[in-house]
Amino acid sequence: RFLDLSGNSIGPEGAVALVGGLKKNKGRLQRLSVSQNEILLEGAQAMCRHFTSGEGKSLVYLDLRHNGVPYPGMVKLRAELGRPMDGPEGWMLLFGDRQLLVNR
């Protein structure tokens, strides 16, 4: 139930395609790491939208660190998550007992 795709250069298009696969997987995957893949803002947004959706609630751990999201994009992404950059949380965001790891 853990898939580590770290460092595979999937890019933003690959991240969007991965979200499609996660939806077809119907919640069997619990932990996913896509760190160091240059998914940029587009890919990070797609992954975060899935994580926070009803379809993504089975994911208890999602690692999106080191994916080339520039600072302005990170500000936008964190705002979309309801977790502003000037808030008390660092790169590990907690959603109940679920973890989302995200940084530039």
Side-chain angles (χ1 to χ4, degrees):
R1 299 220 197 216
F2 178 57
L3 180 60
D4 186 355
L5 296 175
S6 300
N8 279 288
S9 303
I10 66 171
E13 298 85 9
V16 171
L18 181 57
V19 168
L22 291 170
K23 289 178 181 180
K24 290 179 182 176
N25 184 267
K26 300 197 187 300
R28 288 181 284 239
L29 191 65
Q30 294 177 326
R31 300 173 53 86
L32 175 62
S33 178
V34 290
S35 64
Q36 302 174 351
N37 274 291
E38 291 299 312
I39 65 172
L40 308 175
L41 179 59
E42 177 188 354
Q45 284 175 312
M47 297 297 299
C48 286
R49 286 180 186 135
H50 179 71
F51 181 81
T52 57
S53 74
E55 291 176 303
K57 66 182 176 184
S58 68
L59 279 176
V60 296
Y61 175 88
L62 177 59
D63 186 351
L64 300 177
R65 293 175 294 163
H66 308 296
N67 272 300
V69 179
Y71 185 79
M74 189 58 61
V75 170
K76 182 177 181 176
L77 182 64
R78 294 278 301 257
E80 290 174 3
L81 290 167
R83 308 294 175 89
M85 290 292 286
D86 60 354
E89 297 173 301
W91 51 267
M92 183 170 68
L93 307 177
L94 298 177
F95 293 80
D97 60 351
R98 302 169 65 222
Q99 297 176 345
L100 173 60
L101 285 59
V102 61
N103 68 6
R104 297 176 35 193

